[in-house]
Amino acid sequence: MTKFALAAATAMVPALAAAQVDQGPANADFEAAFENQTRAPALDDTAVTTETFVDGLDHPWGIALLPGGDYLVTERPGQLRMVMADGTLSEPITGVPDVDNREQGGLLDVAVRDDFAETRRVWLTYAKSVEGGTATAAATGTLSEDGTELTDVQDIFVQSPPADAPMHYGSRIVFEPDSDNAFITTGEHFTQVNRELAQDLGTTYGKVIRVDAVDGTAPEGNPFVGEEGVDTIWSYGHRNIQGAAVGPEGRLWTIEHGPAGGDELNLTEAGENYGWPVVSYGVTYSGNPVGSGDARQEGFAEPVYYWDPVIAPGGMIFYDGDAFDGWGGDILASGLVSQSVVRLELEDGRVTGEERIDVGARVRDVEQAPDGTLIVVTDEAAPNGALVRISPAG
């Protein structure tokens, strides 16, 4: 065989595809819009150890690190507790708003700002009973010095209109860097009628909301201030956003639940329409097409990454610790169905690799401890709800 013939024959042999995370068959038959938009190459497995940090919780949902290494953690039935750095669990903190604890509702996220030691200010999101139904709400209050009571609690956001379905509340709250503003995520309350409102700028269903974190007013720079639409809306066309974090570059990233397939990681920008329920990389739970039946159309923002089958996302962070070598700047996302922490490696705003760190339980939220290890929230009924520490093995 001549050198030319050998080269031609070699060129005809397809390159071996990079190994992917073992996740099973897809629900939908869509092609990705670009390389590594889904099923990115599998990263090398990280050797870890897991140990229960706190147990006996009832559907814990959100966690926030306090100065000094203590934590605040929510339980969906309506309890807010402090967890000491040594794992001691407090009695429920008083003064928490009443919650609608039906189905997916209850006390949901908790967050504090970097100035907590001076202000003692805490933010909560929750399902609120309102005249005509239920709504995602966000409130802020002051935690007493002894950590036993919230006072001066005031709502800064209440979703409208009231919903008839206690489902898909979204409900993460994160803070915009170098400003007084907060981003609050919502869901579209699940039903066929309700989900259409994710495209309706006259409602706050299926939206990212941007408000002043103390008084709830619409800040300058919101895309619909002075135009048709609710002036606190930042982005729209979302299904049920339960992960949100600000990246190292100061921009907002979110992860939302898809139906059967189609969980999405989005770089979430002002005024953008993310397509739900017109387009989706998933299908309905019965296997029928969603909306138009298309995965994408002109005018809708593409997800940076999507999963099919779903991970069923919870909270997320960008890792900036030293405990796990090579993780700096990576996304760590909670997975309920995947029962794992999902690590995504990013380069120039695109996913270049994925790893699953098995927890063996539904992971609802993840927080980075002061030493760079992880504290993950497992969403189980009492007494099985827990906080689990993940550390490097060895």
Side-chain angles (χ1 to χ4, degrees):
M1 182 178 290
T2 66
K3 288 183 179 180
F4 176 81
L6 178 61
T10 303
M12 294 174 63
V13 177
L16 293 176
Q20 301 167 345
V21 171
D22 183 13
Q23 52 192 294
N27 294 278
D29 186 23
F30 293 121
E31 290 187 6
F34 48 83
E35 184 180 11
N36 290 346
Q37 192 187 24
T38 191
R39 298 184 183 242
L43 300 170
D44 291 340
D45 291 339
T46 304
V48 302
T49 61
T50 60
E51 59 179 341
T52 300
F53 179 52
V54 175
D55 58 12
L57 298 171
D58 191 1
H59 287 295
W61 208 94
I63 186 171
L65 175 65
L66 301 178
D70 298 336
Y71 300 87
L72 291 173
V73 62
T74 60
E75 295 174 282
R76 197 153 46 82
Q79 293 81 242
L80 174 67
R81 296 180 187 264
M82 186 174 290
V83 176
M84 309 309 171
D86 64 2
T88 303
L89 182 65
S90 79
E91 292 297 315
I93 295 168
T94 62
V96 173
D98 292 334
V99 304
D100 183 342
N101 186 32
R102 294 175 297 146
E103 298 286 348
Q104 296 177 356
L107 186 61
L108 302 173
D109 205 12
V110 57
V112 299
R113 303 202 75 154
D114 291 341
D115 62 359
F116 172 81
E118 292 77 42
T119 67
R120 306 290 296 179
R121 188 175 287 276
V122 174
W123 283 262
L124 299 169
T125 64
Y126 66 105
K128 182 182 181 73
S129 292
V130 295
E131 184 176 354
T134 187
T136 299
T140 185
T142 303
L143 184 64
S144 62
E145 289 292 336
D146 64 3
T148 63
E149 181 184 17
L150 273 182
T151 60
D152 303 320
V153 177
Q154 299 288 332
D155 285 334
I156 61 169
F157 169 74
V158 179
Q159 187 184 43
S160 62
D164 56 359
M167 307 282 283
H168 288 196
Y169 286 94
S171 216
R172 291 293 169 189
I173 181 168
V174 297
F175 303 105
E176 184 179 49
D178 304 318
S179 84
D180 297 325
N181 305 323
F183 295 105
I184 302 161
T185 73
T186 76
E188 34 69 291
H189 291 286
F190 183 70
T191 68
Q192 185 67 48
V193 172
N194 289 341
R195 72 183 56 167
E196 301 298 329
L197 298 181
Q199 290 292 320
D200 184 348
L201 292 173
T203 79
T204 50
Y205 283 38
K207 310 296 193 295
V208 173
I209 301 300
R210 178 174 175 259
V211 295
D212 183 286
V214 175
D215 64 22
T217 56
E220 291 184 8
N222 277 9
F224 303 107
V225 171
E227 301 182 19
E228 185 176 354
V230 176
D231 60 8
T232 57
I233 292 173
W234 178 256
S235 62
Y236 64 111
H238 301 287
R239 186 171 183 263
N240 187 25
I241 305 174
Q242 291 194 351
V246 173
E249 74 292 338
R251 302 165 80 185
L252 178 68
W253 295 71
T254 61
I255 301 181
E256 65 186 80
H257 287 257
D263 288 349
E264 293 184 1
L265 168 69
N266 285 300
L267 178 58
T268 311
E269 300 186 298
E272 289 286 352
N273 184 347
Y274 291 83
W276 181 260
V278 181
V279 296
S280 174
Y281 279 94
V283 294
T284 68
Y285 295 126
S286 62
N288 293 321
V290 170
S292 66
D294 296 332
R296 53 188 174 269
Q297 288 182 6
E298 188 73 25
F300 298 129
E302 277 291 303
V304 172
Y305 198 69
Y306 70 88
W307 290 269
D308 183 9
V310 300
I311 62 167
M316 63 181 285
I317 61 171
F318 283 84
Y319 186 77
D320 63 1
D322 298 323
F324 294 94
D325 186 44
W327 283 22
D330 291 355
I331 289 173
L332 303 180
S334 307
L336 295 160
V337 169
S338 68
Q339 298 194 353
S340 65
V341 174
V342 180
R343 178 168 75 98
L344 297 178
E345 181 182 73
L346 295 177
E347 184 175 330
D348 298 328
R350 293 285 176 88
V351 174
T352 56
E354 178 177 356
E355 180 190 8
R356 307 280 176 96
I357 296 95
D358 181 56
V359 177
R362 290 164 49 86
V363 180
R364 178 66 76 174
D365 202 3
V366 56
E367 181 62 277
Q368 182 179 309
D371 63 358
T373 60
L374 305 179
I375 304 294
V376 301
V377 175
T378 66
D379 181 12
E380 307 289 343
N384 296 320
L387 305 183
V388 175
R389 185 185 295 275
I390 302 178
S391 307

